[in-house]
Amino acid sequence: MFSRILIANRGEIALRIIRACHELDIEAVVVYSEADKDAPYLQLADEAVCIGPAESAKSYLNIPRIISAAEITDVEAIHPGYGFLAENINFAQICRECGITFIGPPVEAMQLLGDKIQARKLAVKAGVPAVPGSDGALEKDSDALELANEMGYPVIIKAASGGGGRGMRAVHNDMNLRSAFSSAQAEAKAAFGDGRVYLEKLIVEPRHVEVQIMADQEGNAVHFYERDCSTQRRHQKMIEESPCPILDKRTREELAQSALKIIKKANYVNAGTVEFLLDKDKKFYFIEVNTRIQVEHPVSEMVTGHDLIKWQLKVAAGMPMKLSQRSIKHSGVAIECRINAEDPEKGFTPSPGRITRYIPPGGPGVRIDTHVHQGWMVSSSYDSMIAKVIVHKPTRAEAIATMKRALREFVIEPIKTTIPACLDILSHNLFVKNKIDTGFVERNF
């Protein structure tokens, strides 16, 4: 096991990793920007190193400064958390060249699965159904036009790299395809430095379901069941739950086994999430792999009782999992709500500022993952998520009721948050009856 690691991230995920390290008797070094110099979690770390100003490009995305911090603090490994450099292949390669363990998948697996076009091809080779689409990147809008007419509208243009909905355009006719194609290329180039795009058939009113996996260096791979992430706005997840409430036992098993086929085919190691779309007939299609721990990993932890961050650390240190799939049990229902510093009444615009009143909820089955507190200044420099509320109860109805109660107790003032929006969604008749899809939020709110 490692004796000392560096955490190349901030906020609640940095705190989450610090806690896991200390429970495994690992010293935790954390980097921070000038904007985060007063963060209380820095006091919990064994050492903290300032790596630059608030601007991410000069701090949390500054690879030379992070590597320098790792070298001067004499760590054995770096945990990237999620976001920032978590899926940066160049960063993982530099860690390897510097003799520092990257707590994530091997560079080769990241290269294979980080490119969505190559990941699609691998899924097909593994015998896993993928959304019908182009065999590779499309160079010209005329090629996209020809394929769209061959497959039939609607179609969706997607960036080969990255995620978060950037470089993605839904298209319903020839008239809009050319402009959508060029704007998707431009956005992908600006966001990921890779302007390649490809075309897929648009699955109408799908559910977004993902499988949490973990694989060790000895070739063992297991899943921690699925999460339904269909409640999203502009491709950004708002509420996640497990199990997917519409899956039958047979489809659930087929979905999980399909995820493991892809992971094994890619010689994957560490935590990852295999993502699928589920159509109206409950047929599933592979879409991509996230080669990191996800924001919503606590959902899987609550229903299985396994600490996924600890497993990441153990696997990266070369320890075998010694877990059989049969030993991983799914219990009850877990729901997570992301609490963002945004104003739902003003188009979810960011709402930075100082928190002068902070009262978190509690009670049986309620978990809060956050780094904020009364007096904390929410910065406009970073992602707007400031907390996650996770509940775990025997049934979905009980989990919804507990989540609503917890959100009503949660006080974060005077900034605006997405708490009211989450309450509205949880109270909606279609959400309660499981009759939602990825467009549910935008159609109804």
Side-chain angles (χ1 to χ4, degrees):
M1 177 51 72
F2 303 119
S3 59
R4 188 173 172 88
I5 76 159
L6 182 138
I7 300 164
N9 215 298
R10 65 178 298 277
E12 68 89 14
I13 188 61
L15 176 57
R16 173 75 182 84
I17 299 167
I18 290 170
R19 287 169 169 163
C21 284
H22 288 169
E23 290 177 19
L24 291 174
D25 200 25
I26 300 170
E27 290 185 355
V29 177
V30 64
V31 295
Y32 66 94
S33 72
E34 292 171 3
D36 289 331
K37 62 183 176 62
D38 296 322
Y41 64 84
L42 299 181
Q43 306 303 315
L44 299 178
D46 296 280
E47 190 171 350
V49 180
C50 182
I51 53 171
E55 187 180 345
S56 296
K58 297 179 180 178
S59 53
Y60 297 109
L61 291 173
N62 191 314
I63 295 176
R65 291 187 181 184
I66 290 172
I67 294 296
S68 294
E71 290 177 341
I72 65 172
T73 56
D74 195 28
V75 300
E76 301 157 86
I78 295 178
H79 197 310
Y82 53 71
F84 292 129
L85 296 170
E87 294 180 283
N88 188 300
I89 296 169
N90 183 44
F91 180 57
Q93 180 64 43
I94 290 172
C95 287
R96 175 188 283 181
E97 292 171 357
C98 292
I100 301 169
T101 300
F102 178 78
I103 301 176
V107 170
E108 293 78 13
M110 293 178 74
Q111 290 172 330
L112 181 60
L113 298 175
D115 185 314
K116 294 178 185 177
I117 295 172
Q118 296 304 316
R120 273 174 53 88
K121 291 179 180 179
L122 182 137
V124 172
K125 285 182 181 178
V128 176
V131 179
S134 58
D135 292 330
L138 298 173
E139 298 294 332
K140 299 178 291 184
D141 56 12
S142 58
D143 295 332
L145 194 65
E146 182 180 345
L147 182 58
N149 279 280
E150 183 181 316
M151 292 194 301
Y153 289 100
V155 297
I156 186 165
I157 301 166
K158 289 185 173 181
S161 301
R166 288 173 292 183
M168 187 181 295
R169 299 288 188 277
V171 183
H172 296 268
N173 53 58
D174 286 355
M175 185 180 299
N176 294 331
L177 190 140
R178 291 186 188 276
S179 61
F181 187 86
S182 59
S183 65
Q185 283 183 317
E187 186 175 46
K189 180 67 175 177
F192 314 119
D194 180 359
R196 292 178 305 138
V197 297
Y198 63 102
L199 198 72
E200 281 185 348
K201 179 69 177 174
L202 181 66
I203 305 298
V204 178
E205 298 180 3
R207 291 186 83 118
H208 183 171
V209 183
E210 58 190 27
V211 179
Q212 175 69 60
I213 64 88
M214 188 77 67
D216 66 20
Q217 297 179 23
E218 297 186 2
N220 304 309
V222 295
H223 69 81
F224 294 84
Y225 298 91
E226 83 286 351
R227 300 183 290 257
D228 190 317
C229 303
S230 303
T231 308
Q232 50 187 259
R233 174 185 172 273
R234 296 184 179 176
H235 307 292
Q236 299 297 313
K237 299 167 186 174
M238 297 180 71
I239 299 176
E240 301 98 352
E241 60 182 298
S242 183
C244 172
I246 66 166
L247 282 185
D248 56 71
K249 184 177 180 181
R250 178 180 175 181
T251 307
R252 173 173 287 113
E253 181 61 21
E254 289 176 353
L255 186 77
Q257 291 306 314
S258 293
L260 291 176
K261 284 180 183 178
I262 293 170
I263 290 305
K264 291 177 180 178
K265 192 81 171 175
N267 296 316
Y268 195 91
V269 177
N270 218 275
T273 307
V274 186
E275 306 209 357
F276 299 87
L277 291 181
L278 197 67
D279 70 14
K280 292 180 179 179
D281 298 320
K282 298 182 183 179
K283 293 180 181 178
F284 59 84
Y285 303 90
F286 167 79
I287 49 174
E288 64 181 350
V289 177
N290 283 308
T291 57
R292 55 175 166 78
I293 198 71
Q294 297 249 110
V295 172
E296 60 271 25
H297 75 272
V299 173
S300 299
E301 292 182 330
M302 297 294 270
V303 293
T304 64
H306 284 271
D307 187 318
L308 296 175
I309 303 296
K310 286 184 180 179
W311 276 121
Q312 279 196 291
L313 295 166
K314 292 175 182 178
V315 165
M319 298 174 66
M321 288 191 293
K322 294 183 179 178
L323 269 181
S324 68
Q325 190 61 61
R326 186 175 296 180
S327 70
I328 304 173
K329 305 295 184 183
H330 190 293
S331 173
V333 175
I335 299 177
E336 174 181 285
C337 285
R338 301 190 188 194
I339 310 304
N340 295 346
E342 298 172 349
D343 188 348
E345 294 186 358
K346 293 183 178 179
F348 291 85
T349 54
S351 180
R354 190 171 300 281
I355 297 171
T356 59
R357 191 162 181 251
Y358 178 83
I359 305 174
V366 177
R367 167 178 166 178
I368 308 296
D369 279 20
T370 186
H371 65 291
V372 307
H373 57 89
Q374 193 158 298
W376 176 254
M377 174 62 75
V378 178
S379 173
S380 59
S381 299
Y382 308 116
D383 185 86
S384 62
M385 192 185 75
I386 54 175
K388 300 181 298 194
V389 181
I390 310 100
V391 301
H392 183 220
K393 287 291 176 177
T395 68
R396 187 170 187 266
E398 289 174 288
I400 291 173
T402 301
M403 179 63 81
K404 289 165 68 176
R405 185 269 298 168
L407 292 178
R408 291 189 186 111
E409 288 182 9
F410 207 169
V411 178
I412 306 176
E413 295 176 348
I415 65 170
K416 302 295 183 181
T417 74
T418 51
I419 290 175
C422 289
L423 279 168
D424 286 344
I425 292 168
L426 292 164
S427 301
H428 198 284
N429 187 49
L430 293 178
F431 183 88
V432 173
K433 291 184 176 180
N434 303 327
K435 296 181 178 180
I436 65 167
D437 57 72
T438 55
F440 160 70
V441 171
E442 289 168 344
R443 284 196 307 270
N444 293 281
F445 297 93

